[in-house]
Amino acid sequence: PAPAGAGAAPERRRPLIGDVLREGCLVWLAGVQDSVRVQQCVFCLARSEKIRDRTMRCFVLNGVIFLGSVVLFNWAIEPFLGMLRRLVREDEAWATDFVAAAFSTLYHVLWIYPVYCVSFVLNTLMYQDIADAGLALRSAQKPNAAQPLERLVNEAFRFLLNLVFIVEMNVLWYVPVVGRLLFFLHSCWLASVYCFEYRWVHLRWSCDERLDYFERHWVYFAGFGFPVSFVSLLCPRFINEGVFALLFP
């Protein structure tokens, strides 16, 4: 006679916490490795003149004009104004302080902020050109175009979702103890979503499909956005924006 329970399916072993953590670390590390594959960038730069041109424009706009303007003020103009204040007499220091404050305000309002706004728009256009050229190199065929109303709804939903996500990030910054860690984690996710959205749009994925894909691969996305978010986190305000825009393509 057959032993008792011979026909029953073997009991499935529940994964241990250590196994889950180890697998999660491997997935996270795979995301980090994929984000720093320089050979892919070299391949695209070598094969496409448009990618080379747009990348050079991004470097000039973000690395030379925007970052150069911020660095010039922080490390040259501002120290010069501080040195000038120490050279005048105490009873005339108020005039130097007023000139320094007025110059700083005018420099930011009339130059830094406009350059930032213009670079934001131009970066969006250049990133799209780079993404289109990169997808063309891989001979990625476009699926049938979505209906105009469907596309409008998806884009509106995407805009609102990103807006809510950014607001949530800034609120998390003020949470005691773990706030900054959560802020950094969300910034990694946001950087990854920015990268992958170009392909999702190319594939005509709906917002539900994008959210579902993100929810199933959130650990990988945390790793993929880690390098650029970490470098940006180390930089001061405004400089981190320029560094992110410079590294993003």
Side-chain angles (χ1 to χ4, degrees):
E11 183 179 356
R12 186 177 181 181
R13 185 175 68 89
R14 298 181 61 182
L16 301 177
I17 296 179
D19 296 335
V20 174
L21 292 177
R22 181 165 53 253
E23 183 179 357
C25 290
L26 291 175
V27 173
W28 180 86
L29 185 60
V32 174
Q33 292 175 338
D34 287 345
S35 68
V36 294
R37 285 189 174 180
V38 181
Q39 66 271 22
Q40 296 292 336
C41 301
V42 174
F43 170 80
C44 293
L45 288 170
R47 294 287 300 275
S48 174
E49 182 179 356
K50 176 179 284 189
I51 292 180
R52 292 195 299 271
D53 177 71
R54 298 301 186 272
T55 302
M56 180 58 64
R57 293 186 185 186
C58 282
F59 174 79
V60 173
L61 177 62
N62 300 297
V64 178
I65 298 177
F66 181 71
L67 282 179
S69 300
V70 176
V71 171
L72 176 66
F73 180 82
N74 290 344
W75 294 345
I77 298 177
E78 195 170 39
F80 173 76
L81 293 174
M83 181 182 65
L84 186 63
R85 185 188 184 283
R86 291 191 293 270
L87 295 177
V88 300
R89 295 181 302 179
E90 287 296 328
D91 57 343
E92 298 177 351
W94 66 270
T96 308
D97 292 339
F98 175 79
V99 171
F103 185 85
S104 175
T105 302
L106 291 174
Y107 188 83
H108 283 79
V109 171
L110 299 180
W111 181 248
I112 298 295
Y113 294 147
V115 169
Y116 175 79
C117 294
V118 172
S119 65
F120 181 84
V121 176
L122 294 179
N123 283 333
T124 302
L125 299 175
M126 289 187 289
Y127 295 160
Q128 187 64 59
D129 289 342
I130 292 174
D132 292 339
L135 291 169
L137 286 177
R138 296 178 176 273
S139 300
Q141 299 295 327
K142 286 189 176 182
N144 295 330
Q147 296 297 325
L149 181 59
E150 180 184 356
R151 184 177 180 182
L152 178 62
V153 171
N154 286 331
E155 291 302 313
F157 183 78
R158 180 182 67 87
F159 172 78
L160 291 176
L161 184 65
N162 288 338
L163 180 62
V164 171
F165 197 86
I166 293 173
V167 171
E168 179 184 345
M169 283 177 54
N170 288 275
V171 171
L172 287 173
W173 177 267
Y174 298 100
V175 175
V177 184
V178 297
R180 297 193 175 186
L181 179 62
L182 293 176
F183 175 88
F184 178 70
L185 178 61
H186 280 67
S187 67
C188 295
W189 283 335
L190 189 62
S192 297
V193 170
Y194 281 161
C195 292
F196 277 83
E197 266 192 340
Y198 292 99
R199 179 166 178 80
W200 294 341
V201 171
H202 179 83
L203 296 174
R204 302 290 191 265
W205 281 11
S206 66
C207 286
D208 290 337
E209 291 174 315
R210 301 176 198 179
L211 282 175
D212 180 66
Y213 189 84
F214 174 80
E215 290 171 356
R216 288 187 286 110
H217 301 88
W218 62 271
V219 178
Y220 175 86
F221 283 118
F224 190 88
F226 175 81
V228 65
S229 298
F230 181 73
V231 173
S232 300
L233 185 68
L234 298 178
C235 301
R237 189 170 178 238
F238 277 124
I239 293 182
N240 64 339
E241 301 288 347
V243 169
F244 181 89
L246 187 63
L247 297 177
F248 183 77

